[in-house]
Amino acid sequence: MTTKLVIGLDGAGSGDRALSYATDLAKRIGDCELLVAYVIEWSPYSFQTAEENAQRHKRREEEISTAMTRVVDPAVEGLRKNGMTASGIVRHGDVAHTLNTICEKEGGHQIIVCRSSEGGITKRIFGSSTANLVMSATVPVTVIG
């Protein structure tokens, strides 16, 4: 049975640590597939006109394309060069919920992320995406420091 690991990237250097850990783990497992996921934080709760919604949809599509080109595709290419079976995906939404949903839909067995670099008052009031993922995920979550 193939094990599928979902690697959540944040577009920062910390993602390299998650990729490195996942690569090492995949080599130890053997029959393993890696799914690189990037979630663009987005809330559907916004009151806008029809024209604003059309513009927002266009921006979302542009953001997805940019994230694939700048973050996900290079990560997938690096994994493949290391002999890994890898693919990538970009979605909009709440990071914790969306990563878990991706994992469920794609048949993932584990999610690997790096600790959030967010700090200060925002983290204390709203919590971090990483903490929210750990508390709500339906599969094991490995957090890389």
Side-chain angles (χ1 to χ4, degrees), residues 14-82:
S14 59
D16 293 339
R17 294 192 312 271
L19 287 168
S20 178
Y21 179 85
T23 300
D24 182 58
L25 182 59
K27 287 177 181 175
R28 292 172 193 233
I29 292 170
D31 188 11
C32 194
E33 181 181 337
L34 303 174
L35 175 59
V36 177
Y38 183 85
V39 179
I40 301 167
E41 189 76 42
W42 179 76
S43 171
Y45 304 108
S46 179
F47 301 99
Q48 298 178 337
T49 66
E51 293 82 19
E52 289 170 328
N53 280 334
Q55 285 298 316
R56 188 176 188 188
H57 178 72
K58 182 180 176 186
R59 281 193 312 274
R60 286 179 58 195
E61 296 304 315
E62 291 169 355
E63 289 172 348
I64 287 173
S65 177
T66 300
M68 279 299 284
T69 303
R70 293 184 184 171
V71 179
V72 174
D73 288 344
V76 169
E77 182 179 328
L79 291 168
R80 289 179 178 163
K81 282 183 181 177
N82 281 319

Side-chain angles (χ1 to χ4, degrees), residues 127-141:
S128 73
S129 297
T130 303
N132 291 335
L133 177 63
V134 168
M135 292 185 292
S136 64
T138 57
V139 297
V141 176

Side-chain angles (χ1 to χ4, degrees), residues 70-129:
R70 293 184 184 171
V71 179
V72 174
D73 288 344
V76 169
E77 182 179 328
L79 291 168
R80 289 179 178 163
K81 282 183 181 177
N82 281 319
M84 302 286 113
T85 301
S87 59
I89 190 168
V90 177
R91 294 287 183 265
H92 274 92
D94 171 75
V95 174
H97 175 74
T98 304
L99 276 176
N100 192 61
T101 299
I102 289 169
C103 192
E104 288 177 337
K105 286 184 179 178
E106 298 293 329
H109 297 93
Q110 181 176 359
I111 301 171
I112 300 168
V113 294
C114 267
R115 185 176 50 220
S116 173
S117 59
E118 181 181 282
I121 188 111
T122 304
K123 183 175 178 182
R124 287 192 297 273
I125 293 173
F126 299 108
S128 73
S129 297

